[in-house]
Amino acid sequence: MKVRLHQFLSKTGHFSSKREAKDAVWRGEITVNGSIVKDIAYQFNPRNRPVEYQGRRLFLPDSDITFVLNKPSGYLCARINENERAIGKRSVFDLFESEVDATVHARLLTVGRLDEATTGLLIVTTSGDLVHRVTAPEHHVAKRYWVSSKRPLTEEAEQQLVEGVSIELESEGVISYYLTQPSKLERINERDFILEVVEGKKRQVRRMVAAVGNAVEHLHRLSIANAALEDFDLDEGAMREVKPTEIEAWFEQA
Ligand code: URA
């Protein structure tokens, strides 16, 4: 839906008055889709035309934004405090500081979590609905991981991973055992294989590989539902905003 530029700016909450928003336009400080627009009545669709003020993207307070990130190793999928920062911890949210303004940054959530050392596809969004759609156990959303194991994967271990293994889960100091659902496994070579799981228990893949007497050397997420990292052509640490129509296609049945 189209809106007028001055109305959009007033709704973002960045300007203390309508007059201040209009002045910013007249001064040439606002770009729409990368071009300076000096017409306050300029009409556009904010869903596909990004607006920037002093180099920072502006958003309507109630609109959602979603990114695909190629997560680098060494970043936590959590907000971190000063003590954690002091010992060298870093958060994936740090990577978005120059990407979105502070109000949007505070609303960002990760869609599930990857371990600090895991690399690959991470969806970061302001939409709690999207988080639920992917992570609710009853939705059985498939996640594919490239696993490099420390030792060659035996045929017996491969069979066990496919059929389901018992992994240890810990919650508030209480240990329980969980039998993983059947998964798909595609062998690449002796130590590399692609594992597709439909659950998202904490450190699930590492625990599954440990349960068959092996260990993960490196773990990289390739895809979630139909969203494949390779389709985004992102270097490690790079991200791209995705449109609502792209997100819908992630969940379409093949
Ligand atoms: N399973 C794991 O063990 N770790 C991850 O980061 C993701 C899935």
Side-chain angles (χ1 to χ4, degrees), residues 113-115 118 145 201 203-207 219:
R113 290 183 173 201
L114 291 178
D115 302 330
T118 304
Y145 296 88
K201 302 288 179 205
R203 298 174 73 80
Q204 176 157 346
V205 175
R206 290 174 199 275
R207 287 172 203 251
L219 190 58

Side-chain angles (χ1 to χ4, degrees), residues 2 39 219:
K2 285 190 170 180
D39 174 9
L219 190 58

Side-chain angles (χ1 to χ4, degrees), residues 4 10 18 31 38-40 54 79 137 174-175 179 181 194 198 222 244:
R4 289 189 192 282
S10 298
K18 289 180 179 168
T31 61
K38 289 191 169 182
D39 174 9
I40 58 164
Q54 295 175 339
R79 303 273 171 184
V174 180
I175 305 278
L179 182 64
Q181 292 193 23
I194 294 173
V198 291
L222 299 165

